[in-house]
């Protein structure tokens, strides 16, 4: 019970310091599967996306989602003239704004807290104090990339077919 009490006290301290508690913010985001046939995901036995099919990217090996369909179009699965991409429900929670960092394998720990951020969101360095922002010129609102590192944080809602 001591360990359990310490976890509760630590979680309460984290909420007090960060103002967050198990944030389950959900977003509808686009996902292209590149060379992986989306039917593997859509008709597969597993529910949702599979980290084992992920490639190393600018924010490490994770499952990448975009606010803009035009961005995911570059990663859409293509067979002949037909392309496919997903519109997915993604639990972004409390995202960590990060410039590209290919060493990431999970979201980092929140400052003064023993709890991980829920996801990572594209950001650039914006000033000398090392603060980052998700609202900047390279990744403006609507063009951000979200990365999750757990299969259960995203679910494919729709498979979009287009030419």
């Amino acid at each position: 019970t001591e360990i359990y009490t310490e976890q509760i006290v630590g979680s309460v301290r984290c909420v007090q310091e960060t103002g967050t508690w198990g944030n389950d913010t959900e977003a509808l985001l686009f996902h292209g599967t590149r060379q992986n046939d989306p039917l593997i995901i859509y008709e597969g036995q597993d529910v949702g996306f599979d980290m084992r099919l992920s490639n190393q990217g600018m924010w490490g090996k994770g499952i990448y989602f975009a606010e803009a369909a035009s961005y995911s179009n570059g990663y859409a699965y293509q067979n002949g003239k037909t392309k496919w991409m997903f519109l997915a429900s993604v639990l972004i929670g409390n995202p960590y704004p990060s410039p590209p960092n290919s060493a990431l394998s999970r979201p980092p720990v929140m400052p003064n807290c023993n709890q991980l951020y829920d996801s990572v969101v594209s950001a650039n360095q914006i000033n000398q104090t090392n603060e980052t922002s998700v609202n900047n010129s390279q990744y403006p609102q609507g063009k951000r990339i979200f990365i999750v590192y757990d299969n259960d944080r995203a679910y494919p809602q729709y498979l979009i077919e287009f030419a």
Side-chain angles (χ1 to χ4, degrees), residues 18-111:
T18 65
T20 63
W21 178 272
N23 189 335
D24 60 355
T25 301
E26 186 175 348
L28 284 174
L29 303 169
F30 296 95
H31 176 79
T33 62
R34 288 188 179 181
Q35 72 276 7
N36 297 314
D37 187 336
L39 294 178
I40 295 170
I41 297 167
Y42 187 74
E43 297 175 346
Q45 297 296 318
D46 296 327
V47 175
F49 295 91
D50 188 344
M51 277 287 297
R52 295 173 295 182
L53 299 175
S54 296
N55 294 316
Q56 181 74 19
M58 290 174 58
W59 287 271
K61 187 172 181 176
I63 306 171
Y64 287 65
F65 299 91
E67 289 179 317
S70 59
Y71 184 89
S72 289
N73 181 46
Y75 298 92
Y77 177 80
Q78 187 166 357
N79 187 355
K81 293 183 179 181
T82 305
K83 289 184 169 187
W84 290 272
M85 77 170 78
F86 284 105
L87 182 59
S89 178
V90 184
L91 290 174
I92 60 172
N94 184 14
Y96 173 72
S98 174
N101 179 353
S102 62
L104 288 173
S105 60
R106 64 174 173 81
V109 175
M110 291 184 220

